Amino acid sequence: MKIKCNYLSRLSLLMLAGIILFGSCNKKEEAFSNRKVSFNSDWSFHLNDSIIDKDTIGTSTKWRTLDLPHDWSIEGKFDEKSPAGYGGGSLTGGSGWYKKTFKISSQDINKTISITFDGVYRNSEIWVNGHYLGKRPNGYISFQYEISPYLNYGEKSNEIIVKVDNSKQPNSRWYSGSGIFRNVWLETTDKLHVAKWGTYITTPKVTAEKASVNFETNIQNQYAASKKAVITTTIFKDETKVTSVTQNITIGANANQTIKQNAEVESPILWSVEKPELYTAVTEISVDDKIVDQYKTNFGIRDFKFDVNKGFILNGKQVKIKGVCMHHDLGALGSAINTRAIERQLEILKEMGVNGIRTSHNPPAPELLDLCDKMGFIVMDEAFDMWEKNKTKYDYGNDWDKWHKQDLIDQLLRDRNHPSIFMWSIGNEIPQQWDESGAVIAKELAAITRQYDKTRPITAAMNPPVNMNIDNVTLQFDKAKVQYNTIAASGALDIIGYNYAHQTYEYHQKNFPGIPFIATETTSALETRGYYDAVSDSIKKWPVRWDLKFTEGNPGNTVSAYDQVQAPWGSTHEATWKIIKKHDFLSGMYIWTGFDYIGEPTPYEWPSVSSYFGIVDLAGFPKDVYYMYQSEWTDKTVLHVYPHWNWKAGQTVDIWAYYNNADEVELFVNGKSAGKRSKKVDDLHVMWKIPFQPGTLKAVSRKNGKTVLEKEIKTAGNPSQLKLTADRSTIKADKNDLSFVTVDILDEKGTLVPNANNEINFSLTGNGKIVGVCSGDPVSHESYKGSKHTALNGKCLVIVQSGDKTGRLELTAKANGLKPATIVITTEE
Ligand code: GAL
């Protein structure tokens, strides 16, 4: 049997009113396709702190219609006095209301109907037809309510109201966003069905010949009578049936039952980072030969361990984890998730050679995990940034006692089938690591985690449990200090994970014999894309020493893009990678961070509003060090030379080059050799000091005397024209898909002007809209939601979203005194 009706493509065919399925699939597929439909469209939204009562909200007229996911904070103005603080991106929270009216077909009167929220930031409270469903304080957790008992069926409408309260600030160390910022789903099933997150698929034995696949399926019977049913689990590979197992059950009235099944897959096609092969399990429940429920779970077959000597072993092969930490915001789109925007981030990271993602410091949108499954990333799925001790005044620490158990269980149940997840992290830099409660809570969380998933190791992103004085580095393990870090000493962890202190990693085996290591968070280097005020004669303006003040920085809150600047607790990019690279027993690292994110603009405060840590800026433009990693982490042949070639005459400029697959690089200035350079052992770049003269800088990499690559950087003239380049010029007409369009400011001859900061105005015709503008400048206070933006160092990004009609979108960019540019984006079915 093949799954003929693609589940996701069917979603677009489904109209919510009546939840009627259009199309001509047979009954089996109908149960399958009808199960989960998007509930994102046509909501009304009202932002108003003064309305605090559900009963008066209905009388308000100030509603605005929108589709979810939605983040209202990103629409606001940056404000120095924002209670969220610069940590929160100087944007505002507040409290917001969402409502939606909808009809449910009378045919569904005997069904179980549930609503699932993938994440609402924060303190959601929900009513359906006046019936209170409940509250969830945690903004990142997915949750579901059954609503069938409170619904009207047929012609009479229903109303859902969601209150979101993000008014108490600060409650986050980074930009959280506010609102129903993830997807919402309506699920309709028979009263006999696979329960919420009801499948658990593990592969306890994997060899090249055979994989044993275990299924634990939680079946829920909401009928008032017991039911005899047949449970069939079928494994598909690329829509082709592989094998299936069947079991007869009798399930009591109003009861849940967990069914255990086992199947064997011959010659399994293993999931790996390079080839992330997925299988699909389809669970079918049949009663009297009629399929009453179908439930789909993607999974992967892979074998892995963390080894004390060899690090991370995947399918028998050592794999170094070359990971990055990511916060959940999507730059100009804020925290409103969009699958294509996440996919683009992952594509850019994959291109750099990244193979791991840490979901710092909370459960991510499910779409991120689906993409990591499909694209091949090694995910560390993290639960919490704090336990009961707060990091900010109104954060989740206040909800800890009541909610942590439920939130952790929900994360585990939701996420445990994802083949991309290889580790659970029970917390980041938890303050209780320094008191006795750290051990108690770590053990409690580890026990819960093991109860729901024994297949993955548990770690925590601790502060260094080793004794280290940065000025006078003491690298060795200090028993007293380890005992003092109560999480490290608790025995709860399977992997010792800690953030920073890269100087101590080499001593790990001595410090923690018999337990593997992961660098849960590293580096925290800082750069402004395209800014290079660190040439030889004014080197390193921003302090690289930990004991100098942040405020002694560069003008305009810039940070040099040479890899020389780091937070006091971190390192340059090169320093940490050199150590991780050297030792097999170091499984790998997650760099802080892959992309810049909104908020936490270390080293600066206001007027900076977004971070400097990213290897890629907020707009998605790589900073130079991206290519250092690319030269180390990929097989691509790389030659990247920087900075630009627009300086004052006679100024001495540091030229850096990252290269690979070559044994030397020669630099030419206006055709004249400025010397050859070769990396010595341990070097990750080469450099020259060159007095500037306008013209052309050319680098040539060679292997055995033969040219491998050539790169030219030309002195640019004045800004003269704009150029638009779309990452995809054909997108889907589904009101969701995005085209990311880069604007380059060029001189007359077409050379990028590296310091151009013109204001650019955008206009769009056709059935679509501009949903974000961003230059990657951490100091910009222009709205990400406007239709104009000031470029940073020659570049700007505009994000175009399709409507629901196919056709042509025409995007035009204009700037005073410059030749405008237009690009066409086609939208299709
Ligand atoms: C770490 C923390 C991260 C981020 C980072 C900045 O200590 O875990 O969330 O704040 O510092 O360097």
Side-chain angles (χ1 to χ4, degrees):
M1 181 195 130
K2 292 208 169 194
I3 306 175
K4 285 190 212 112
C5 287
N6 177 288
Y7 177 56
L8 287 174
S9 68
R10 293 305 305 273
L11 289 182
S12 56
L13 295 174
L14 290 169
M15 297 294 293
L16 197 58
I19 323 167
I20 296 161
L21 178 74
F22 297 99
S24 59
C25 278
N26 65 33
K27 277 204 174 129
K28 278 185 180 189
E29 286 143 358
E30 188 169 316
F32 188 61
S33 307
N34 201 14
R35 206 181 197 279
K36 185 176 169 185
V37 296
S38 171
F39 203 59
N40 282 341
S41 59
D42 297 326
W43 286 74
S44 301
F45 172 67
H46 180 118
L47 178 64
N48 191 339
D49 264 335
S50 60
I51 295 173
I52 47 159
D53 180 3
K54 178 192 72 60
D55 296 328
T56 57
I57 190 76
T59 59
S60 161
T61 50
K62 286 196 245 149
W63 293 94
R64 160 187 153 206
T65 306
L66 48 75
D67 291 338
L68 305 176
H70 172 238
D71 167 11
W72 78 68
S73 294
I74 202 71
E75 298 165 354
K77 284 196 168 65
F78 294 104
D79 176 4
E80 185 176 7
K81 297 198 177 71
S82 158
Y86 57 88
S90 302
L91 288 164
T92 13
S95 104
W97 294 81
Y98 295 84
K99 69 172 184 177
K100 175 179 164 78
T101 49
F102 59 102
K103 286 184 181 167
I104 299 286
S105 160
S106 50
Q107 286 172 19
D108 289 332
I109 198 152
N110 291 319
K111 297 271 168 73
T112 296
I113 300 178
S114 306
I115 187 155
T116 303
F117 290 81
D118 286 347
V120 182
Y121 202 91
R122 69 191 297 275
N123 287 315
S124 66
E125 287 183 272
I126 306 180
W127 294 261
V128 165
N129 295 336
H131 181 91
Y132 185 64
L133 297 174
K135 175 170 181 171
R136 289 305 285 248
N138 188 322
Y140 299 104
I141 206 69
S142 298
F143 55 90
Q144 187 183 81
Y145 298 109
E146 186 188 339
I147 55 174
S148 16
Y150 322 114
L151 291 175
N152 303 312
Y153 295 85
E155 279 314 299
K156 196 165 175 207
S157 313
N158 299 282
E159 185 182 56
I160 181 166
I161 294 181
V162 180
K163 179 185 178 191
V164 184
D165 184 0
N166 191 19
S167 57
K168 288 197 172 143
Q169 300 275 353
N171 61 48
S172 178
R173 298 187 300 110
W174 56 88
Y175 173 72
S176 63
S178 312
I180 308 179
F181 66 14
R182 292 182 182 164
N183 288 311
V184 182
W185 307 95
L186 196 75
E187 294 193 43
T188 306
T189 63
D190 191 88
K191 284 192 189 313
L192 179 66
H193 56 262
V194 175
K196 171 180 72 163
W197 304 315
T199 56
Y200 180 37
I201 304 177
T202 54
T203 55
K205 233 195 225 153
V206 178
T207 63
E209 294 75 41
K210 206 181 269 183
S212 163
V213 184
N214 283 349
F215 306 103
E216 275 182 34
T217 310
N218 184 2
I219 311 281
Q220 185 167 21
N221 177 19
Q222 293 182 310
Y223 285 104
S226 74
K227 289 275 168 188
K228 279 187 193 316
V230 180
I231 314 297
T232 304
T233 305
T234 308
I235 300 179
F236 293 90
K237 177 83 192 96
D238 303 329
E239 303 194 359
T240 303
K241 179 177 167 179
V242 176
T243 184
S244 79
V245 281
T246 292
Q247 190 173 336
N248 295 320
I249 62 159
T250 303
I251 179 166
N254 292 313
N256 275 61
Q257 192 172 319
T258 298
I259 312 297
K260 293 192 175 177
Q261 296 175 305
N262 173 268
E264 284 190 339
V265 174
E266 308 283 336
S267 310
I269 308 175
L270 303 187
W271 186 99
S272 68
V273 166
E274 299 79 24
K275 285 192 152 196
E277 297 279 355
L278 295 177
Y279 286 84
T280 303
V282 176
T283 313
E284 286 176 348
I285 306 178
S286 307
V287 175
D288 298 333
D289 276 343
K290 188 174 170 256
I291 294 171
V292 297
D293 191 30
Q294 277 185 317
Y295 187 90
K296 182 176 115 168
T297 314
N298 286 336
F299 69 102
I301 301 177
R302 78 274 192 276
D303 170 67
F304 76 97
K305 65 175 179 182
F306 284 84
D307 185 85
V308 173
N309 297 315
K310 292 275 170 204
F312 180 59
I313 310 285
L314 180 60
N315 304 327
K317 256 180 41 200
Q318 190 186 354
V319 177
K320 189 69 92 181
I321 298 176
K322 299 159 185 163
V324 293
C325 304
M326 291 288 276
H327 272 316
H328 65 303
D329 79 62
L330 295 165
L333 302 177
S335 301
I337 82 110
N338 175 289
T339 306
R340 171 58 201 156
I342 303 175
E343 184 183 51
R344 170 182 179 252
Q345 287 191 329
L346 294 176
E347 281 171 2
I348 291 169
L349 293 169
K350 192 97 193 169
E351 191 70 14
M352 158 181 151
V354 171
N355 68 8
I357 300 289
R358 171 184 181 219
T359 69
S360 41
H361 304 294
N362 41 259
E367 289 75 11
L368 173 93
L369 297 172
D370 291 340
L371 286 164
C372 287
D373 291 347
K374 276 187 213 150
M375 296 172 75
F377 288 93
I378 300 157
V379 175
M380 178 196 300
D381 194 359
E382 191 153 78
F384 305 111
D385 190 45
M386 77 292 294
W387 296 345
E388 65 194 347
K389 273 194 187 160
N390 300 74
K391 287 187 176 175
T392 56
K393 191 167 177 198
Y394 296 107
D395 66 30
Y396 182 73
N398 299 342
D399 306 303
W400 178 261
D401 282 346
K402 185 155 177 227
W403 287 101
H404 73 275
K405 201 169 166 194
Q406 164 114 44
D407 288 338
L408 180 60
I409 292 170
D410 285 349
Q411 178 193 10
L412 296 163
L413 287 175
R414 191 197 70 168
D415 292 353
R416 63 188 179 169
N417 291 317
H418 286 280
S420 57
I421 299 177
F422 287 88
M423 272 168 280
W424 303 111
S425 163
I426 55 173
N428 174 60
E429 297 187 351
I430 298 297
Q432 277 105 327
Q433 69 198 313
W434 308 121
D435 68 51
E436 276 150 28
S437 66
V440 177
I441 300 174
K443 282 185 193 159
E444 184 210 350
L445 301 182
I448 295 172
T449 306
R450 289 191 184 101
Q451 188 187 337
Y452 289 89
D453 182 40
K454 288 191 183 58
T455 72
R456 296 172 178 90
I458 298 167
T459 191
M462 295 179 283
N463 288 106
V466 287
N467 189 21
M468 198 187 73
N469 171 326
I470 297 196
D471 264 349
N472 173 21
V473 182
T474 313
L475 300 169
Q476 264 75 15
F477 165 61
D478 176 334
K479 191 137 196 173
K481 181 105 190 227
V482 170
Q483 295 306 330
Y484 188 44
N485 187 317
T486 57
I487 298 177
S490 69
L493 306 181
D494 301 307
I495 305 180
I496 289 291
Y498 59 88
N499 297 353
Y500 306 101
H502 63 289
Q503 303 93 328
T504 68
Y505 297 168
E506 298 194 278
Y507 299 83
H508 170 73
Q509 288 187 309
K510 239 198 231 161
N511 290 341
F512 297 94
I515 182 161
F517 174 80
I518 179 79
T520 36
E521 183 178 317
T522 69
T523 313
S524 273
L526 300 143
E527 288 97 16
T528 302
R529 174 187 52 78
Y531 180 82
Y532 307 97
D533 192 10
V535 289
S536 308
D537 38 11
S538 60
I539 201 154
K540 298 177 194 169
K541 276 223 187 133
W542 196 71
V544 289
R545 288 271 309 282
W546 73 287
D547 50 347
L548 296 181
K549 286 202 188 77
F550 287 164
T551 46
E552 294 169 19
N554 284 326
N557 284 16
T558 47
V559 178
S560 158
Y562 289 99
D563 179 20
Q564 291 171 321
V565 185
Q566 67 192 64
W569 48 92
S571 79
T572 60
H573 286 277
E574 293 191 4
T576 298
W577 170 236
K578 277 182 193 174
I579 293 169
I580 297 280
K581 168 180 177 175
K582 207 152 97 191
H583 301 283
D584 283 352
F585 65 87
L586 300 173
S587 313
M589 63 178 185
Y590 290 92
I591 302 164
W592 193 265
T593 46
F595 271 59
D596 278 339
Y597 50 95
I598 305 172
E600 213 184 28
T602 315
Y604 299 111
E605 300 176 5
W606 182 266
S608 300
V609 294
S610 61
S611 82
Y612 296 76
F613 294 114
I615 298 165
V616 179
D617 78 11
L618 200 65
F621 303 130
K623 301 177 188 174
D624 296 285
V625 77
Y626 178 95
Y627 301 96
M628 184 280 282
Y629 288 112
Q630 197 178 54
S631 72
E632 286 282 295
W633 288 1
T634 73
D635 296 334
K636 291 181 219 306
T637 301
V638 175
L639 174 62
H640 178 78
V641 187
Y642 68 102
H644 53 74
W645 204 229
N646 272 53
W647 301 94
K648 289 194 197 103
Q651 193 173 354
T652 301
V653 184
D654 287 8
I655 312 291
W656 287 39
Y658 302 123
Y659 72 91
N660 63 7
N661 302 340
D663 34 48
E664 63 175 31
V665 179
E666 186 167 8
L667 194 69
F668 298 88
V669 182
N670 294 336
K672 203 167 152 242
S673 176
K676 295 176 184 171
R677 301 281 188 274
S678 294
K679 287 189 273 192
K680 314 248 167 358
V681 183
D682 254 13
D683 282 349
L684 299 176
H685 71 272
V686 289
M687 77 168 276
W688 297 256
K689 285 181 189 297
I690 309 280
F692 174 70
Q693 45 172 290
T696 303
L697 194 68
K698 178 173 163 181
V700 181
S701 65
R702 294 194 197 94
K703 191 172 178 110
N704 301 324
K706 270 194 164 157
T707 299
V708 175
L709 281 178
E710 290 187 0
K711 279 281 157 75
E712 278 188 353
I713 307 176
K714 291 192 166 131
T715 306
N718 291 328
S720 156
Q721 51 179 322
L722 298 174
K723 184 181 155 202
L724 297 179
T725 314
D727 69 336
R728 290 183 314 147
S729 49
T730 302
I731 59 175
K732 287 216 169 71
D734 62 359
K735 282 173 92 183
N736 241 322
D737 206 359
L738 302 172
S739 181
F740 289 84
V741 182
T742 298
V743 187
D744 287 321
I745 302 176
L746 309 178
D747 71 2
E748 223 175 31
K749 291 186 183 145
T751 301
L752 183 88
V753 185
N755 46 13
N757 55 5
N758 305 62
E759 185 188 83
I760 306 166
N761 282 276
F762 300 102
S763 56
L764 185 80
T765 59
N767 182 239
K769 55 185 179 185
I770 292 170
V771 289
V773 281
C774 182
S775 66
D777 183 356
V779 189
S780 170
H781 294 169
E782 293 161 292
S783 171
Y784 299 125
K785 291 290 177 191
S787 57
K788 60 179 182 190
H789 214 75
T790 303
L792 172 72
N793 298 327
K795 281 186 174 294
C796 191
L797 177 82
V798 51
I799 310 168
V800 173
Q801 186 165 52
S802 58
D804 53 6
K805 295 189 182 65
T806 57
R808 239 172 90 94
L809 304 175
E810 215 173 89
L811 174 74
T812 301
K814 290 184 179 159
N816 265 346
L818 307 192
K819 200 172 143 212
T822 295
I823 194 168
V824 173
I825 298 157
T826 309
T827 56
E828 61 175 29
E829 290 251 322

